[in-house]
Amino acid sequence: MNPSILLIYTGGTIGMKQDPVGFDLRPFDFSQILDEVPELKKFGCSIDTISFNPIIDSSDVDAHFWVRLSETIAENYGKYDGFVVLHGTDTMSFSASMLSFMLENLEKPVIFTGSQLPIGMLRTDGKENLTSAIEIAAARRADGRPMVPEVCIYFENMLYRGNRTTKYNAENFRAFRSANYPVLAEAGIHIKYHTNYIRYPEKWGQPLAVKNKIDTSALIVKIIPGLKPEIFEAMMNIEGIRAIVLETFGSGNAPTVKWFTDCVKKTVDRGVIVLNISQCHTGKVDMDAYATGKSLKNTGVVSGADSTTEAAVAKLFFLMGQYSDNKDIITMLQKNIRGEITE
Ligand code: ASP
C-alpha cells in the first residue's frame, strides 16, 4: 500500500506567495497545495493537508500551539504513516524539541520543514524542502518499518534530529545546524540515511502517549563579562520562575566572585532549578574542567551536557509539566530522554 502523509501547515514563510498585482507576500490556501506544487502528484503516496486557523508567524508560538500540534498528530496517528509539519523557521528548533518530548513512544516520522523564501517565489527553497520532507516521512526500511521514527527538521538537503538543532543563519538557505550530533540523512541524487544515528524504538508497538502538560515558567540568563551584581540578582530573583537556563562561558564556566556564586546558591536553595548550558554551540558543559566551573557546580547547578539552548528550554517546560518535585526534574534533566544529549 502507498504510504499516507499528513501535511500540517502552521504558518511561516513557506506558505506565502506573491500577489500578482501588489507583489506583496500573502499566505495561500493550503488545501490547494497540489496546484502550487504539482510535483507532489508524482509521489507514490497519498497526501492530505490540514491548515491551522489562524496560521501564525512562528514568533507567536506558545504552549497552546504545541498542545494543538501534538493533539493534531495524536488524533491522526493511526490514519497516517508520517507527518510533515510546515512551520516558520524562527522558532522551529524550539517546536521540534518540544514535540520530541511531548510525543512519547513515537514510532512514525514527524518532519518539520519550512523555507527562507516563500514557496510561490521563483528561487524558493520551499519546494525542495517540502518534497524531500515528504519523501523522508514516507520512507520505509526493508522490513517495512519507518526509516526515521523521530521528530526531525529537514532543511537544505539535511535531515537533523529536531532537538539537536539551532537556527543559526537568518539569510542563507542552510539555516539550521546540529553542532553536537551528526545529520540523520543527506539528500543528493539519492537520500542517504545514516541509520546508525537514527533512534529506533527498543520495542516496536508501544502506543503513542501525548504528554500535554507543559509549564513554561522558565527564563534564559546569558552571562557576560562585567555583569553587574544588581542586574544579575534582579534576573535571578524574578518572581514566578521555576527554572533558569544559565548560559555560561566555554565548558560551563562562570565568574568565581563571591556575590555571583552566593546569588546562584541562594537561587538554587530557594528551589529554582538552574541548568548550565554553554554559550558555545559545539562541545559540552563540564563543570569539573576548571575551578570556575567547579564553583558553579558547588552551588547545586545542574549540567546541561551538550544540549542546545532550545532543547534545554523545551526539556524544562516538559519536565516541569510532568513533575512537581524538583528532585525528579533534576534526575530526568541529566538523562538522555529523546536523544537530546550525549550521556
Ligand atoms: N518569521 C518567519 C517565521 O518564523 C520566518 C520563516 O518562516 O522562515 O514564521
Side-chain angles (χ1 to χ4, degrees):
M1 245 217 344
N2 284 341
S4 54
I5 303 298
L6 183 62
L7 193 58
I8 306 168
Y9 176 53
T10 69
T13 300
I14 192 166
M16 307 264 170
K17 76 175 187 188
Q18 216 158 21
D19 183 78
V21 183
F23 298 109
D24 52 321
L25 291 172
R26 299 200 179 162
F28 67 87
D29 174 3
F30 233 76
S31 59
Q32 306 302 314
I33 182 74
L34 291 182
D35 297 339
E36 295 300 327
V37 192
E39 294 88 335
L40 294 180
K41 288 184 197 138
K42 294 186 191 150
F43 274 124
C45 55
S46 68
I47 302 167
D48 290 335
T49 58
I50 288 183
S51 187
F52 272 28
N53 184 14
I55 52 167
I56 56 165
D57 185 290
S58 76
S59 298
D60 285 322
V61 158
D62 60 8
H64 299 291
F65 171 88
W66 291 323
V67 169
R68 194 154 162 235
L69 185 54
S70 65
E71 277 173 358
T72 304
I73 292 170
E75 280 158 20
N76 290 285
Y77 196 68
K79 282 188 255 161
Y80 294 94
D81 296 305
F83 301 85
V84 173
V85 180
L86 299 176
H87 189 293
T89 55
D90 290 348
T91 62
M92 193 187 288
S93 293
F94 283 98
S95 289
S97 298
M98 206 62 231
L99 267 283
S100 78
F101 294 115
M102 293 169 82
L103 301 174
E104 202 165 273
N105 299 332
L106 182 71
E107 295 187 355
K108 294 183 181 184
V110 174
I111 315 294
F112 279 71
T113 196
S115 67
Q116 295 282 64
L117 276 180
I119 212 158
M121 282 182 85
L122 206 54
R123 287 180 54 249
T124 187
D125 51 331
K127 281 193 184 179
E128 196 285 318
N129 286 346
L130 174 60
T131 47
S132 294
I134 291 174
E135 189 168 338
I136 290 165
R140 311 225 184 128
R141 309 191 306 194
D143 64 0
R145 302 279 193 202
M147 184 62 91
V148 196
E150 292 205 41
V151 178
C152 299
I153 289 184
Y154 178 81
F155 220 86
E156 183 68 0
N157 303 331
M158 300 288 179
L159 182 72
Y160 310 97
R161 174 170 300 153
N163 59 31
R164 290 289 193 154
T165 61
T166 299
K167 181 178 179 185
Y168 79 106
N169 202 317
E171 178 113 353
N172 284 0
F173 286 153
R174 171 103 356 117
F176 291 89
R177 74 172 163 210
S178 165
N180 278 331
Y181 197 76
V183 292
L184 305 185
E186 285 162 81
I189 293 176
H190 303 289
I191 298 180
K192 222 165 104 193
Y193 293 94
H194 304 301
T195 48
N196 44 335
Y197 296 127
I198 298 172
R199 271 184 119 224
Y200 292 106
E202 267 166 39
K203 205 171 134 230
W204 291 90
Q206 308 287 327
L208 178 76
V210 180
K211 305 285 181 175
N212 267 349
K213 275 181 85 188
I214 304 171
D215 180 357
T216 61
S217 322
L219 178 76
I220 300 173
V221 174
K222 184 169 184 161
I223 60 166
I224 48 171
L227 190 62
K228 288 192 164 179
E230 59 275 23
I231 294 178
F232 185 64
E233 277 156 16
M235 285 194 290
M236 299 300 273
N237 281 297
I238 292 174
E239 234 173 89
I241 281 183
R242 264 182 93 188
I244 292 171
V245 171
L246 192 65
E247 277 204 0
T248 56
F249 308 127
S251 52
N253 305 315
T256 47
V257 277
K258 193 167 175 317
W259 66 260
F260 182 88
T261 41
D262 279 355
C263 175
V264 176
K265 184 154 187 344
K266 265 192 219 150
T267 309
V268 172
D269 291 347
R270 242 183 27 244
V272 175
I273 296 163
V274 182
L275 182 63
N276 187 355
I277 297 291
S278 175
Q279 292 176 17
C280 296
H281 295 288
T282 311
K284 66 175 192 328
V285 165
D286 176 2
M287 290 193 277
D288 291 315
Y290 293 89
T292 44
K294 267 199 184 130
S295 75
L296 205 53
K297 189 177 176 183
N298 293 336
T299 62
V301 164
V302 183
S303 168
D306 61 348
S307 174
T308 60
T309 296
E310 292 86 340
V313 167
K315 194 171 178 179
L316 278 169
F317 287 175
F318 166 73
L319 292 175
M320 291 192 300
Q322 304 304 305
Y323 301 100
S324 50
D325 191 335
N326 277 4
K327 264 200 217 125
D328 295 324
I329 299 175
I330 289 169
T331 306
M332 294 305 283
L333 277 174
Q334 292 168 92
K335 285 196 176 149
N336 172 18
I337 324 183
R338 307 274 195 264
E340 75 284 0
I341 53 169
T342 313
E343 257 180 322

